[in-house]
Amino acid sequence: MTYKVLSSIATKSVNSAELLKIRTDLLIIGVNKKTTSAIELKSLKNSAKSLITQSIREINNGSRKSIFLPTPERLKAKNLLLIKEPKPKAASFLWIKYFSEIMNLAKSSKAKDFAFLVTSATPKTIDLNWLSEISARTFEASAYTFNATKNKTVVPVSVKKGSLLFGGLTSAKLKSVKASVITGHAVGEGMNAAKHLGDLPANHCTPRIIERKTKALKKHFPALKISSLNEKDLAKLKMGSYLSVAKGSDEPPRMMVIEYKGGPKHKQPLALVGKGITFDTGGISLKPGSAMDEMKWDMCGAASVFGVMQTLARLKAKVNIVGLMVCAENMPSARATKPGDVVTSMSGQTIEILNTDAEGRLILCDALTYAKKFKPSHVIDMATLTGAVVIALGSPASGVMANNQPLADKILAAGEASGDRAWQLPLWEEYEHCTKTNFADLANIGGGREAGTIKAASFLSNFTKDYKWAHIDIAASAWNSGTKKGGTGRPVPLLAELILKGNL
Ligand code: BES
Ligand code: ZN
Ligand code: MN
């Protein structure tokens, strides 16, 4: 299943006369201090002179932020929305919020389609390719609505398609922004795919259901090579650590492998490894009850692999990527792993499981060992790994730790460029003592509550010595709590940016 909401986002260039002829339910114009001078708005202003000029003035003097107008005669658009644009130097998150607000207004106006005009008064300091990509991405991502488990309260999404109109572009520039719009739309779709998997309740999204959905991708994206490993396959590979997490559940684990080869034949792939705990009760080290429902999003690392692989296939990206979705359910039961149990990982290192709630690292360590078989140039894992990263960084930034600084730098840069930001934490030797124990080669926790995010990464670093590796802790960024409760689709934008432009 794919999760495209908008069937298309077209890109067109318009002049003043053509703007009047655009047929759409909703024409949207961003307003800044220079908007009145935009040449492509000339006929529109003439046809409703006082109304448009006055609305632009009201937005600019701060008395209104957005204005809906019934459209003047001669204009083919049914409605007109004028909305205040962020300041040119505004941080990316403000631009993302702006495009998301536009889509929410379009949804609430029940428009079936929209046309967003990027005027020639757009400040020259703004890179139009960036603006095109991020707007198309955010329009698609914000059009997403979760209805899968509703019967009587389904909220139908009226908006089916859109277009981006550009005033005053050369044909070469138009061609290049068109490509950015296509990229942005595909990244938005990948985000929606990730959000949808995350938002599905755990009883509708078990490892086997994820396996089915992943295999179904093949229908839409024949370029993806998809396989899965079941509990027997994992046992043959001696993944004792991974299997110990699934032991308490009636739902068997599954590891999905998605291969995409769009790049030069012999170029080593980038491996992406995603934590896919479909529900994390904590196991025998049971979590407290409050907000435990949120642990259905503990598979968002795997969901981001699912999302970004579709984006790459849709774009026919010229890259080689292997995605691993490491799925299991963490439950307490008579068969569950107990604190103090010692298991043997695929790497041969034994692990004393002192806390069954530190399960993410236990499934990832075996997947990280398995990843070696693909001879990856780099390995990046994404995981909702620690509550500590929620405390350290909150939702604005995902936490990055790496054994290779150039790789960390590229991830941070991709975060800045895409507005899906990340911040690095140190992975120093000083933190390594946390895995020491008298009873196994490693312990899965240790050393108290301090630096929990780094200690989790430090544990993983014992399994990633043979390649360049980075770990992204997305426990705070992958979903929102509170009234906006739901998946965010992160870090799909960061990964897409890194893979498509990061030059790895
Ligand atoms: N999935 C959780 C991390 C988590 C907690 C994400 C809260 C989002 C919000 C992870 O499996 C976990 O339980 N981690 C423990 C580790 C601890 C036992 C060392 C944690 O962070 O409390
Ligand atoms: Zn977890
Ligand atoms: Mn846990």
Side-chain angles (χ1 to χ4, degrees):
M1 198 180 169
T2 57
Y3 305 87
K4 198 176 192 155
V5 185
L6 303 171
S7 61
S8 65
I9 306 182
T11 309
K12 291 177 207 155
S13 141
V14 287
N15 61 29
S16 166
E18 288 160 347
L19 186 63
L20 296 184
K21 296 196 193 111
I22 296 288
R23 284 181 194 277
T24 174
D25 281 355
L26 184 62
L27 175 63
I28 304 152
I29 303 177
V31 171
N32 63 34
K33 301 279 185 235
K34 300 229 169 85
T35 304
T36 6
S37 65
I39 176 128
E40 69 281 5
L41 292 180
K42 198 163 169 248
S43 343
L44 176 61
K45 282 190 303 177
N46 285 345
S47 72
K49 201 172 177 55
S50 59
L51 205 55
I52 302 289
T53 328
Q54 192 188 328
S55 304
I56 291 179
R57 200 183 310 125
E58 278 193 29
I59 288 180
N60 275 333
N61 72 21
S63 55
R64 307 270 289 271
K65 203 172 153 210
S66 62
I67 300 177
F68 262 110
L69 293 170
T71 50
E73 264 176 62
R74 293 178 53 216
L75 186 63
K76 291 279 189 288
K78 289 195 193 136
N79 284 290
L80 184 59
L81 169 66
L82 298 173
I83 181 163
K84 192 179 177 69
E85 199 174 88
K87 298 239 160 53
K89 284 204 181 114
S92 302
F93 82 94
L94 290 171
W95 283 93
I96 292 169
K97 204 167 142 211
Y98 166 68
F99 295 124
S100 168
E101 262 168 28
I102 289 176
M103 182 45 67
N104 288 337
L105 288 167
K107 277 162 120 179
S108 65
S109 79
K110 300 273 180 271
K112 291 197 182 62
D113 77 306
F114 68 93
F116 176 71
L117 174 67
V118 181
T119 72
S120 53
T122 305
K124 296 283 169 277
T125 48
I126 292 181
D127 175 352
L128 283 187
N129 291 95
W130 175 85
L131 187 85
S132 306
E133 184 176 329
I134 217 155
S135 60
R137 176 186 111 196
T138 310
F139 288 147
E140 169 68 20
S142 308
Y144 166 93
T145 308
F146 184 81
N147 278 319
T149 45
K150 291 180 184 171
N151 256 346
K152 312 281 186 189
T153 55
V154 172
V155 189
V157 184
S158 60
V159 190
K160 296 280 186 294
K161 59 181 183 170
S163 52
L164 260 62
L165 311 175
F166 292 83
L169 282 197
T170 62
S171 62
K173 189 67 188 170
L174 185 73
K175 202 172 156 203
S176 123
V177 295
K178 205 174 223 166
S180 300
V181 169
I182 290 171
T183 301
H185 190 191
V187 177
E189 290 164 12
M191 292 170 75
N192 289 343
K195 285 198 256 187
H196 182 79
L197 268 197
D199 288 349
L200 280 172
N203 64 330
H204 292 257
C205 191
T206 60
R208 282 180 296 183
I209 295 174
I210 295 184
E211 176 185 41
R212 206 165 67 221
K213 289 184 188 293
T214 306
K215 289 194 165 164
L217 285 178
K218 183 85 187 163
K219 263 186 277 152
H220 301 272
F221 306 106
L224 298 178
K225 187 175 157 209
I226 304 163
S227 59
S228 69
L229 303 175
N230 64 23
E231 62 277 30
K232 287 188 191 131
D233 302 322
L234 302 174
K236 264 189 223 140
L237 288 163
K238 299 195 167 19
M239 295 195 180
S241 182
Y242 182 0
L243 287 166
S244 76
V245 173
K247 246 182 102 191
S249 173
D250 287 349
E251 289 294 340
R254 289 290 184 269
M255 180 159 82
M256 274 52 75
V257 182
I258 312 178
E259 287 173 87
Y260 175 75
K261 286 195 180 119
K265 227 177 165 178
H266 299 292
K267 188 168 191 297
Q268 289 172 268
L270 160 70
L272 298 175
V273 180
K275 171 177 172 182
I277 295 291
T278 57
F279 197 80
D280 182 11
T281 62
I284 296 297
S285 312
L286 193 64
K287 285 185 179 297
S290 90
M292 206 208 272
D293 67 290
E294 296 197 9
M295 285 301 115
K296 72 172 181 176
W297 280 287
D298 210 17
M299 33 58 72
C300 281
S304 71
V305 172
F306 183 80
V308 81
M309 296 306 289
Q310 319 194 358
T311 298
L312 300 174
R314 202 181 281 280
L315 292 172
K316 301 191 169 58
K318 293 186 169 46
V319 292
N320 296 337
I321 314 280
V322 184
L324 305 180
M325 298 165 65
V326 196
C327 297
E329 189 182 62
N330 187 19
M331 295 286 282
S333 86
R335 276 179 292 129
T337 297
K338 305 164 293 296
D341 284 1
V342 173
V343 297
T344 307
S345 66
M346 183 181 177
S347 72
Q349 296 172 95
T350 58
I351 304 166
E352 184 186 23
I353 300 175
L354 288 171
N355 189 320
T356 63
D357 196 13
E359 85 297 340
R361 60 199 81 179
L362 296 174
I363 64 168
L364 287 174
C365 70
D366 278 342
L368 287 167
T369 303
Y370 182 73
K372 269 194 258 181
K373 109 181 191 125
F374 300 98
K375 303 194 171 40
S377 63
H378 302 83
V379 179
I380 304 175
D381 76 76
M382 289 74 60
T384 49
L385 208 61
T386 64
V389 84
V390 185
I391 305 300
L393 300 175
S395 59
S398 304
V400 175
M401 286 136 279
N403 65 9
N404 178 272
Q405 195 53 38
L407 175 60
D409 288 340
K410 284 181 180 173
I411 291 173
L412 299 175
E416 292 303 318
S418 63
D420 179 5
R421 301 170 86 185
W423 195 254
Q424 190 176 5
L425 300 171
L427 196 56
W428 296 330
E429 217 179 302
E430 284 96 316
Y431 296 101
E432 281 173 19
H433 66 274
C434 65
T435 54
K436 298 266 179 296
T437 163
N438 296 340
F439 305 105
D441 300 331
L442 298 166
N444 78 330
I445 60 157
R449 269 154 39 96
E450 63 196 36
T453 303
I454 299 172
K455 285 176 178 167
S458 182
F459 174 88
L460 293 176
S461 72
N462 291 293
F463 301 84
T464 60
K465 296 206 191 302
D466 298 339
Y467 48 67
K468 296 171 189 156
W469 161 73
H471 158 65
I472 311 183
D473 196 330
I474 56 169
S477 54
W479 75 90
N480 291 317
S481 309
T483 50
K484 288 198 175 150
K485 197 165 179 178
T488 60
R490 293 172 66 188
V492 170
L494 182 157
L495 295 173
E497 178 77 22
L498 177 75
I499 294 167
L500 296 171
K501 296 167 216 158
N503 223 349
L504 268 186

